[in-house]
Amino acid sequence: MSTPVAAQRNRAEITALRAVAVLLVVLYHLWPGRLSGGYIGVDVFFVISGFLITSHLLRETASTGSIALSRFWARRARRLLPAAYLVLASTAVAVAAWLPVSAWETNYRQIIASTLYVQNWVLAADSVDYLASDQAPAAAQHYWSLSIEEQFYLVWPLLILAAAVWARRRSSSPTRVTWLAIGIPTVASLVFSIWITQANPPAAYFVTPARAWQFGAGGLLGLYVAGRAGHVARRAGSAPWWRTALPTVASWAGFATLAWCGFTYDETTPFPGTAAILPVVATVAIIAAGEPLGRLSPAPLMRWRPVGFFGDISYSLYLWHWPPIVIVPVILGHTMGLQARLLILVGAVLAAWGTKVWVEDPVRFTRRPALRRPLTALVATAAGAAVLVGGARVGVGTAVAVEHTQQAVADAVLKDIPDCFGAAAMDPQKPCTNPELAGTMIPAPAAAVRDFTHYPGCFTGITGTKLAGCTFGDVENRRIPHVVLVGDSHAQMLLPALETLVKQGKISVTAQLKGSCAWTRDPINHYNKARVDSCQAWKAKLEPWLIKQAPTTDLILTTGYARFNGGTPDEQVKSMQAAWKPLAKLGVPIVAVRDNPRHSESPLDCLERAREITPTTCASPEKVVMGNFDAFQETAGTVKGSKLLDLTKYYCRDGICPAVIGGVTVYRDVTHLTVTYSKTLGPYLYRELVDLGAIKPAA
C-alpha cells in the first residue's frame, strides 16, 4: 500500500518530479532536437505548485478558519525571490558586459518585466507582434513561467480564503464550497486554453488564464487528498494486493507518459490546449500514487541521491540555465557545439547548487525573528525590485540614447546621399566605390535593429485574416504603371524601395501583405496551425480582391520567405502555380522576386563585435545564405506571363554576401533588410523591372 500522501513530510515523489521537470526543460533548451517536447517540464512544475500550495492553504484554513495572507506572501517571497533576484542581477551585468548595445533595450525591458513578474504578458504581446516575434530571445525570457507562478500565489489564497469565509457565513460545507471555488475556475481555464490554443497559439503559450487549470488540477488533487487523509489514517487491517499494485502502476505510467511526451511533442504540437492534458494527468497520477511500496515500486529511484540532488536544486537550476544559452553564442560568435553546451550544463548545476546552499536555504530557514516578519520580507522584496528595475531602466535609457545618436548620424548622412551609397555600390552596370564610406555603418547596429517599415494599416499580422491594403500614388493616372505588391514580411521589405519610385512619379503601388503568408494556394507554415488557418483565410479573400483589381493592375510583384514549410519543392511550385494562374489568365503580368539572403547568425551582433568594418566583415558565403531551393525562382516562368527578378547581385558579389554595402547596414536581423538599404534599391529595382519588360517607363 502506498504511504498516504497527506501524511508525508519528505515527499520523494515530488522531489523526483521536480528533478524530471527541470531536466526536461534544461535538456530541451540545450538540445532541442533531441528532446523536442522538454517544454512540458513547466507544466509539471505548475501542477506541483498547485498541489502543494493548495494543501498548505487547506491545512491552515482547517486549523485556524482563515489564511494569514501577509505571512503566506512573505514566505513565498523568502522562498523564491532571493535566488530570482540574484540571477536577474547577474544577467543584467552579463548583458552589459557581453551583449551588443542593439540587444540591450529588449533584454533590459524583459528584466524589468521579470522583476515585476509580468514577463509572460510581455511575451504574449510580443508573440502576436510580427516585428517583436522575430527578435532574438532575451536572457531573462524564461521568467515567464515564474511570472505565472507568482500571479497564482497572489490570487489562489484569496480564492480559498473566500471559499472558507463563504462556507462559514452560509453554514455550508467547506469542502463542497472549496470544490466549487477551485473546480469552476479550473474547468473554465481548461476550456479557454483549448480555445485560445486554436485561435491564437503564440499568446496561448504564455497567458495566465490558459495555464491556470494546470495549477487547478494540482489543487483539486490536494483537496481530494485532504478529504481522504482521515479515512486512510483510520483504516485498519492489511490492504488487498491491488492497493499496493495500483499506485506502482500509476507512478510508472506517469513517468513513462512524461518521457513519451518529452520525446514526441515538438514545436508542431498545439500547446497547451488538449496536448497539455496528458503531462498534467501524468503528474497528478504520480503525486496521487505517492511513494509506492513493493519490489517493483519506483520508490528506490525516487530516493536515489542524484534524483534528490536535482530535485533540491531544480528551482535554481531553472533560473541559471537559460541566460548562458543566450549569451554564450554571442561571446563565441557562432552557434554552440557539444563542448560549450556541456560546459553550460555543468556551470548551471554548480551555480544552482551554490545558490541553494548559500542563498535559498539561509534565507528560507532563517531563525532570526526580524527576518521572519512578513513586513521585513515584503519591504526587502520592494527594495530588491526597485534596485533591479532602476538598474535595468538605466540600461534601457543607455540603449535608447545610443540608438538615437546613431540614428541622428544616419539622418545627417541621408540628407545628402553620397556617391556609391548602399545598393549603388553593387550596380553591375556601373561598378562603384567611395573611399569616404569605408568603415561606415548607416544605420549603426543599435539603430539598425529598429530600422523596419512603419506603414500603419498596411500589414496583416500573423494571426489576422482581414485584408489591409494600402495604396501609394495616383492609381487613376494611367500614364504610370500600377504595381500590386503581394506577400509576407519579405515582400514588405521592398515597399520602401517602391515608395521612393512612387515619390518620383514613376509608379503607383497597392500592397497586400500578411506575416508568414506567401502567395500560394496550399497551406504553408505547417508548424503553427493558427498561422496556417489565418493564412488560408486571408488568401481566400486575396484572390477575389486581386481579380477585382485586375483591370487597373499593370503588374503583380510578389516574393516571400522562400524556405517556408509547405511540402516538397515540387508541391510548393504547384501550389504557387495554382495561386497565380487565375490572374495570369486575365492577362496580369506577375514578377516573382527571388528571396534575399538568410543568415544563420545575426549580422548586427557580428558588426558590433567587429573592430574594423571592411567589405568582408561579417559577410556570409552566398551558397549558404541563398539556399538550394527558392520556390519563387522555380515557379517564375512556369505560369504564362510570369517572370523572375533575381536581385541577388545587389546582395552578394564574388561568392559572398556582405553585412555592410556601400556604407549601409543591410540587415536588421538574420533575414530582414533595413529600410535604409531597401530605399537604396529603388532605382535598381525599377531598372530591372523595365529591362524585364514587366513595366513600361512612365510617360
Side-chain angles (χ1 to χ4, degrees):
M1 184 176 67
S2 64
T3 305
V5 176
Q8 286 182 249
R9 296 184 63 84
N10 183 14
R11 306 297 303 275
E13 77 282 1
I14 288 182
T15 299
L17 274 171
R18 283 175 171 150
V20 168
V22 76
L23 289 175
L24 280 170
V25 173
V26 172
L27 296 179
Y28 162 66
H29 284 153
L30 285 169
W31 291 280
R34 301 294 179 87
L35 195 65
S36 57
Y39 53 78
I40 66 164
V42 170
D43 306 82
V44 176
F45 280 126
F46 287 168
V47 177
I48 293 172
S49 294
F51 174 77
L52 292 178
I53 295 304
T54 303
S55 299
H56 167 78
L57 294 172
L58 291 175
R59 287 194 296 270
E60 186 172 352
T61 56
S63 61
T64 67
S66 184
I67 296 173
L69 293 174
S70 61
R71 187 170 61 189
F72 171 82
W73 289 326
R75 277 199 304 266
R76 292 290 86 202
R78 287 200 305 270
R79 170 69 182 92
L80 301 174
L81 298 188
Y85 283 1
L86 172 64
V87 175
L88 283 176
S90 302
T91 301
V93 173
V95 167
W98 289 304
L99 290 190
V101 176
S102 59
W104 281 21
E105 185 174 356
T106 295
N107 276 273
Y108 283 123
R109 286 192 188 281
Q110 291 202 19
I111 286 174
I112 292 173
S114 297
T115 301
L116 301 177
Y117 286 98
V118 293
Q119 171 74 318
N120 64 308
W121 292 105
V122 170
L123 291 177
D126 287 350
S127 70
V128 296
D129 180 333
Y130 191 83
L131 296 172
S133 66
D134 206 46
Q135 294 175 350
Q141 184 168 303
H142 61 315
Y143 273 67
W144 73 268
S145 63
L146 303 178
S147 297
I148 293 179
E149 289 228 20
E150 288 293 336
Q151 292 158 29
F152 165 73
Y153 296 143
L154 183 64
V155 173
W156 206 247
L158 297 174
L159 187 65
I160 294 181
L161 178 60
V165 172
W166 177 276
R168 186 168 60 249
R169 291 184 176 179
R170 299 281 180 166
S171 299
S172 302
S173 167
T175 302
R176 184 179 298 110
V177 173
T178 307
W179 271 104
L180 291 173
I182 296 177
I184 292 174
T186 299
V187 172
S189 171
L190 175 58
V191 171
F192 175 78
S193 180
I194 294 171
W195 170 78
I196 196 173
T197 300
Q198 297 297 320
N200 191 355
Y205 194 81
F206 299 112
V207 296
T208 306
R211 296 287 192 161
W213 68 273
Q214 298 172 333
F215 296 96
L220 290 172
L221 175 62
L223 184 57
Y224 172 77
V225 168
R228 294 284 296 171
H231 175 70
V232 172
R234 290 192 298 270
R235 186 184 298 146
S238 59
W241 66 269
W242 55 268
R243 285 198 179 131
T244 302
L246 187 58
T248 297
V249 171
S251 188
W252 278 120
F255 282 116
T257 299
L258 292 178
W260 182 84
C261 292
F263 282 106
T264 60
Y265 283 13
D266 57 26
E267 65 178 8
T268 68
T269 305
F271 207 85
T274 55
I277 294 175
L278 200 54
V280 167
V281 170
T283 306
V284 168
I286 293 168
I287 299 174
E291 189 177 351
L293 303 177
R295 287 187 306 168
L296 300 178
S297 165
L301 284 177
M302 294 177 179
R303 294 284 180 180
W304 191 32
R305 184 169 294 181
V307 172
F309 172 76
F310 278 102
D312 288 342
I313 68 168
S314 60
Y315 176 59
S316 288
L317 180 56
Y318 180 85
L319 293 175
W320 281 111
H321 85 282
W322 178 254
I325 291 176
V326 173
I327 295 171
V328 168
V330 178
I331 298 173
L332 296 176
H334 54 76
T335 55
M336 297 185 296
L338 177 62
Q339 184 179 12
R341 295 173 195 270
L342 289 175
L343 288 174
I344 287 176
L345 178 59
V346 172
V349 169
L350 292 175
W353 174 79
T355 303
K356 175 76 165 58
V357 172
W358 294 313
V359 179
E360 285 188 65
D361 289 349
V363 176
R364 183 183 179 189
F365 299 117
T366 182
R367 295 185 176 181
R368 297 181 181 180
L371 296 180
R372 295 184 67 85
R373 293 172 186 161
L375 181 61
T376 303
L378 297 177
V379 169
T381 296
V387 171
L388 282 170
V389 170
R393 284 181 64 85
V394 171
V396 171
T398 301
V400 171
V402 170
E403 177 185 336
H404 287 171
T405 299
Q406 293 180 353
Q407 190 59 53
V409 172
D411 291 342
V413 172
L414 293 174
K415 287 181 179 179
D416 186 15
I417 304 297
D419 294 335
C420 311
F421 189 66
M426 303 290 275
D427 185 355
Q429 296 184 13
K430 186 180 178 183
C432 182
T433 301
N434 186 346
E436 294 181 2
L437 293 175
T440 301
M441 292 185 292
I442 302 296
V449 73
R450 302 199 179 278
D451 192 22
F452 45 69
T453 53
H454 293 279
Y455 298 107
C458 293
F459 189 80
T460 302
I462 53 178
T463 58
T465 61
K466 183 179 179 181
L467 294 180
C470 291
T471 297
F472 302 82
D474 184 6
V475 179
E476 302 299 325
N477 184 356
R478 302 308 298 156
R479 293 178 299 174
I480 60 174
H482 180 56
V483 178
V484 175
L485 178 66
V486 178
D488 61 10
S489 63
H490 284 220
Q492 186 189 35
M493 292 187 304
L494 296 180
L495 199 47
L498 295 171
E499 190 184 16
T500 63
L501 303 179
V502 171
K503 291 178 179 178
Q504 295 169 7
K506 294 180 177 179
I507 61 173
S508 62
V509 174
T510 297
Q512 282 290 0
L513 306 164
K514 174 173 165 54
S516 295
C517 193
W519 185 26
T520 64
R521 176 62 59 85
D522 300 313
I524 63 173
N525 290 322
H526 289 170
Y527 65 90
N528 188 311
K529 188 176 186 304
R531 293 190 181 188
V532 170
D533 293 344
S534 66
C535 181
Q536 289 303 101
W538 182 80
K539 287 187 295 187
K541 299 174 184 177
L542 174 66
E543 183 172 310
W545 183 90
L546 289 173
I547 292 173
K548 184 178 180 181
Q549 301 299 315
T552 59
T553 301
D554 296 297
L555 171 67
I556 294 178
L557 189 66
T558 185
T559 189
Y561 181 64
R563 299 159 186 85
F564 55 77
N565 180 17
T568 66
D570 185 56
E571 289 171 340
Q572 292 182 34
V573 170
K574 289 181 178 179
S575 182
M576 281 193 172
Q577 291 172 336
W580 299 1
K581 283 180 179 179
L583 277 302
K585 289 180 179 179
L586 296 176
V588 180
I590 298 172
V591 168
V593 182
R594 186 184 181 189
D595 193 18
N596 58 271
R598 187 189 192 284
H599 302 265
S600 58
E601 302 291 336
S602 170
L604 295 184
D605 292 347
C606 178
L607 290 172
E608 288 207 287
R609 293 192 304 267
R611 296 182 179 180
E612 183 181 7
I613 304 300
T614 70
T616 60
T617 300
C618 303
S620 299
E622 181 178 345
K623 290 183 178 180
V624 175
V625 297
M626 291 305 297
N628 297 321
F629 172 77
D630 185 293
F632 298 93
Q633 182 180 24
E634 298 299 324
T635 307
T638 66
V639 174
K640 184 179 180 180
S642 65
K643 297 180 180 180
L644 173 69
L645 174 54
D646 189 348
L647 297 175
T648 303
K649 54 194 168 188
Y650 298 100
Y651 305 127
C652 309
R653 177 184 290 169
D654 299 328
I656 64 169
C657 303
V660 178
I661 295 175
V664 177
T665 306
V666 183
Y667 307 95
R668 67 173 177 84
D669 56 27
V670 295
T671 184
H672 291 96
L673 305 177
T674 60
V675 169
T676 304
Y677 192 75
S678 178
K679 287 180 177 179
T680 69
L681 274 173
Y684 307 101
L685 175 60
Y686 182 74
R687 186 177 71 191
E688 295 288 339
L689 290 173
V690 172
D691 290 346
L692 272 178
I695 59 174
K696 296 179 180 180

